[in-house]
Amino acid sequence: MIICLTLMFIALPVASLFLKSPLDATLRSLGDPMVKDALRLSMMTSALTTMMVVIMGTPIAYISARYHYPGKGVVDAITHLPVIMPPAVAGIALLMAFGRMGVLGQYLNTFGISIAFTTLAVIMAQVFVSSPFYIRQAKTSFEDVDLALENAARTLGASRLYTFIYVILPLAMNGMISGAITAFARSLGEFGATIMFAGNFQGRTQTMPLAIYTAMQGDLGVALCISQILVVISFLIIALVGILARRMCSRC
């Protein structure tokens, strides 16, 4: 009984998004400029964010998984801090660091470089909040790679870089992809840090969550349409992560 009530509590609100907006109404809303701009911007920034997170997070995850060094606990705490930090606080923190009068932003501003309330600010906010999700999953994947295989490759004369690329990465790849997908999903749903640091300007910083917030004040149909798109993407992401998880388990 408790299980049924819990599932209903979760499923009913999601189903209501589709029940309250028929398919024909959703298709009409897809042509709204706000929906098009928000979808385009969200997909572009989330894709760029995911690439940046993978490039920056992979070395951190590998070093954290394989080496012990002074201050490792502090580094782990800092990289995971955005997970528990309220998004609004993250947005203010980014603004205080990179805004026009921020700690670093004031110096960039003297060179005519303005970051806050631009598309770049959207990407930076997304990187800030989504990077821990990838780093944590990638670290776990590297830890699961048998150290004996790495040592065997080194014993046979393979360089550290060759071993990493051709031995470690293929074995950890499924977990890394799963982490990247999760980071993409977190970027796609980011709201608090984005609105505080990047603002809410259509076509420039208005991602899909921000477009929902704006549309709720005047056009419920558009808000429902964007919400449905995000729900569908969420289901696809859950399915992809599940497939990758099964593949990882089958190799164990």
Side-chain angles (χ1 to χ4, degrees):
M1 182 65 178
I2 295 177
I3 296 176
C4 293
L5 289 174
T6 302
L7 292 175
M8 184 179 297
F9 178 76
I10 296 173
L12 181 60
V14 176
S16 298
L17 289 174
F18 295 88
L19 294 174
K20 284 294 185 178
S21 181
L23 181 59
D24 59 335
T26 299
L27 293 177
R28 286 197 302 270
S29 296
L30 283 174
D32 190 287
M34 179 184 290
V35 176
K36 291 180 178 179
D37 289 342
L39 180 59
R40 175 189 57 80
L41 183 67
S42 288
M43 298 304 291
M44 179 193 71
T45 56
S46 296
L48 290 174
T49 293
T50 304
M51 287 190 290
M52 292 179 63
V53 165
V54 171
I55 292 171
M56 297 187 304
T58 300
I60 295 175
Y62 178 71
I63 292 173
S64 182
R66 281 288 188 260
Y67 299 98
H68 295 280
Y69 53 88
K72 179 180 178 181
V74 176
V75 172
D76 287 342
I78 292 174
T79 54
H80 287 82
L81 183 60
V83 174
I84 60 174
M85 181 183 291
V89 176
I92 294 177
L94 289 168
L95 192 61
M96 292 301 100
F98 301 104
R100 299 182 74 179
M101 300 302 295
V103 174
L104 180 60
Q106 59 183 325
Y107 299 107
L108 295 175
N109 192 50
T110 60
F111 295 98
I113 301 174
S114 180
I115 296 177
F117 307 109
T118 64
T119 304
L120 177 59
V122 175
I123 296 173
M124 291 177 65
Q126 291 176 347
V127 169
F128 187 86
V129 301
S130 66
S131 57
F133 294 89
Y134 172 76
I135 292 173
R136 180 166 53 186
Q137 181 63 51
K139 177 185 175 183
T140 301
S141 298
F142 287 133
E143 289 173 341
D144 289 340
V145 176
D146 192 345
L147 188 59
L149 297 175
E150 184 176 349
N151 292 333
R154 298 297 307 280
T155 302
L156 293 173
S159 66
R160 189 177 298 276
L161 180 61
Y162 184 95
T163 301
F164 179 77
I165 295 175
Y166 292 101
V167 177
I168 299 173
L169 276 184
L171 294 174
M173 187 58 66
N174 283 344
M176 294 171 64
I177 294 174
S178 177
I181 293 172
T182 304
F184 178 86
R186 180 64 184 87
S187 300
L188 203 62
E190 166 50 34
F191 177 84
T194 303
I195 198 170
M196 297 295 293
F197 182 46
N200 186 12
F201 305 102
Q202 184 176 339
R204 189 173 67 183
T205 66
Q206 188 180 81
T207 56
M208 287 196 283
L210 271 64
I212 293 173
Y213 173 77
T214 302
M216 282 293 293
Q217 303 175 38
D219 193 338
L220 181 60
V222 171
L224 288 173
C225 175
I226 301 174
S227 298
Q228 290 172 356
I229 293 173
L230 286 173
V231 168
V232 171
I233 293 174
S234 298
F235 270 113
L236 292 175
I237 289 171
I238 291 172
L240 285 173
V241 172
I243 292 171
L244 289 172
R246 286 193 294 272
R247 289 179 59 183
M248 290 174 65
C249 290
S250 65
R251 292 171 56 179
C252 296

